């Protein structure tokens, strides 16, 4: 009886936690269908504080509503048809994030294979350096990336963002830990069958790390899909601003664009949600088991 009560309590707590995590998404979707006047009436005090005007007590002035008084799709019409700039910025996000995700996974697959298959003292030192780089905040390495990009003439181009991101230590570290769990007997059996290194990588390591690769790929995609600092610093010229992703617009919300920003936010979260729903099983398995061999 006590165990059953504990299960009920745990289930209730998990449902409550899930609802708390879903509230920002629900509010964003609901507000995207509100008129500008209703948004201003409900959240005006909060955005006045953001703009540095007279401070007010937000808890007494913000009216959180999940059902609009008047439903409108004018913001979506502006985003999808009336103003093509937002779709251009959305495409800019795709052109930055997709190459970063694919090539970072490729580099991680090759580098992790080397770290796991042929360990040595030198590689151990390099791997430790990767860990140090991984735990450092990105803002620490942003200035060196800026200087290197400027030195090689890559500043204000997509390459200034894509190239440093391709060699991020995050995916290499995680994938190396996964590959080290693969039994050596698998490799010895493959060598007896005459498999070379490329065949071992593609027919043994890659399939066994499939779920981990998917999980890491989703984490990479979401991380760079929401990037703000990199485009602002590395693509700051007037010409390069036309290539900035949509996430930069969402980070520069003002009171005139807040209604439009809700609609843009909903459109912007769709790719991440679709990828999560499609690869949910692989993502959970990749995180829980770290892509290792299950017994």
């Amino acid at each position: 009886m006590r165990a059953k009560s504990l299960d009920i309590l745990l289930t209730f707590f998990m449902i409550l936690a899930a609802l708390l995590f879903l509230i920002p998404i629900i509010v964003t979707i609901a507000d995207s269908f509100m008129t500008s006047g209703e948004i201003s009436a409900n959240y005006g005090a909060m955005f006045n504080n953001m703009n540095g005007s007279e401070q007010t007590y937000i808890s007494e002035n913000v009216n959180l509503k999940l059902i609009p008084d008047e439903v409108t799709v004018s913001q979506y019409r502006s985003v999808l048809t009336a103003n093509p700039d937002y779709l251009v910025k959305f495409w800019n996000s795709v052109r930055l994030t997709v190459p970063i995700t694919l090539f970072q996974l490729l580099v991680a697959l090759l580098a992790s294979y080397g770290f796991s298959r042929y360990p040595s003292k030198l590689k151990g030192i390099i791997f430790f350096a990767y860990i140090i780089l991984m735990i450092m905040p990105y803002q620490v390495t942003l200035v060196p990336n800026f200087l290197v990009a400027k030195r090689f003439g890559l500043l204000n181009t997509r390459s200034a963002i894509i190239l440093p991101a391709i060699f991020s230590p995050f995916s290499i570290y995680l994938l190396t830990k996964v590959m080290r769990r693969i039994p050596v007997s698998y490799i010895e059996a493959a060598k007896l069958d005459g498999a070379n290194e490329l065949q071992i990588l593609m027919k043994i390591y890659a399939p066994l790390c499939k779920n981990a690769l998917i999980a890491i790929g989703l984490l990479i995609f979401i991380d760079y899909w929401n990037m703000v600092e990199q485009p602002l610093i590395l693509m700051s010229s007037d010409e390069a601003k036309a290539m900035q992703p949509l996430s930069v617009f969402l980070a520069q919300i003002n009171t005139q664009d807040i209604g439009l920003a809700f609609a843009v936010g909903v459109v912007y979260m769709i790719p991440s949600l679709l990828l999560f729903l499609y690869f949910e099983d692989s993502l959970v398995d990749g995180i829980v088991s770290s892509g290792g061999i299950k017994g």
Side-chain angles (χ1 to χ4, degrees):
M1 181 60 104
R2 178 177 296 180
K4 186 177 181 179
S5 300
L6 184 61
D7 290 340
I8 294 174
L9 183 62
L10 182 60
T11 302
F12 175 77
F13 174 78
M14 293 176 66
I15 293 174
L16 180 62
L19 290 175
L20 290 175
F21 280 109
L22 287 174
I23 282 177
I25 297 176
I26 296 173
V27 170
T28 300
I29 296 174
D31 290 351
S32 68
F33 292 100
M34 290 183 181
T35 61
S36 298
E38 186 176 358
I39 292 175
S40 179
N42 292 334
Y43 306 106
M46 180 170 61
F47 293 110
N48 287 337
N49 283 341
M50 290 174 57
N51 290 335
S53 60
E54 184 179 353
Q55 300 296 306
T56 57
Y57 291 101
I58 292 179
S59 61
E60 297 179 3
N61 292 276
V62 171
N63 181 24
L64 185 63
K65 296 179 65 176
L66 299 181
I67 301 177
D69 293 333
E70 180 182 350
V71 177
T72 178
V73 293
S74 59
Q75 289 93 336
Y76 288 99
R77 190 179 300 113
S78 299
V79 172
L80 300 176
T81 59
N83 194 338
D85 289 344
Y86 301 108
L87 292 181
V88 171
K89 292 179 182 294
F90 184 92
W91 176 241
N92 290 340
S93 299
V94 174
R95 295 182 68 179
L96 286 171
T97 308
V98 172
I100 289 174
T101 304
L102 295 179
F103 284 103
Q104 188 176 145
L105 285 177
L106 178 62
V107 171
L109 184 64
L110 297 175
S112 301
Y113 179 76
F115 279 124
S116 60
R117 281 279 288 126
Y118 302 103
S120 66
K121 186 175 182 180
L122 178 60
K123 290 181 180 178
I125 296 174
I126 297 175
F127 190 73
F128 179 75
Y130 267 65
I131 297 176
I132 299 298
L133 289 173
M134 187 183 67
I135 63 178
M136 291 176 62
Y138 179 80
Q139 290 77 8
V140 175
T141 60
L142 191 57
V143 173
N145 285 341
F146 177 87
L147 296 176
V148 171
K150 184 177 181 180
R151 176 67 177 82
F152 286 95
L154 300 175
L155 204 59
N156 296 312
T157 66
R158 292 188 181 91
S159 299
I161 297 176
I162 293 175
L163 290 179
I166 287 175
F167 301 97
S168 172
F170 169 74
S171 54
I172 296 176
Y173 169 78
L174 290 182
L175 200 55
T176 299
K177 304 299 287 186
V178 171
M179 287 187 175
R180 285 177 176 174
R181 296 181 56 182
I182 296 177
V184 180
S185 58
Y186 285 27
I187 314 303
E188 293 174 348
K191 285 186 174 182
L192 290 175
D193 291 336
N196 56 36
E197 293 296 335
L198 182 60
Q199 290 173 328
I200 293 174
L201 172 62
M202 300 307 298
K203 294 185 178 181
I204 296 179
Y205 276 75
L208 291 175
C209 297
K210 177 184 175 182
N211 289 331
L213 286 169
I214 292 174
I216 294 171
L218 285 174
L219 294 176
I220 296 170
F221 181 88
I222 293 174
D223 184 25
Y224 287 96
W225 186 253
N226 298 313
M227 63 181 169
V228 175
E229 297 95 339
Q230 299 96 314
L232 285 176
I233 301 299
L234 301 174
M235 303 172 70
S236 58
S237 68
D238 293 335
E239 296 81 5
K241 285 181 180 179
M243 299 185 292
Q244 288 182 344
L246 194 55
S247 54
V248 174
F249 167 77
L250 293 175
Q252 297 173 341
I253 296 175
N254 55 55
T255 53
Q256 287 73 35
D257 296 326
I258 185 59
L260 193 62
F262 280 120
V264 174
V266 173
V267 173
Y268 200 61
M269 72 172 69
I270 289 176
S272 299
L273 289 175
L274 291 178
L275 287 173
F276 171 78
L277 293 174
Y278 186 80
F279 294 109
E280 180 182 4
D281 294 338
S282 298
L283 175 64
V284 173
D285 189 67
I287 293 176
V288 172
S289 66
S290 298
I293 313 298
K294 294 183 178 179

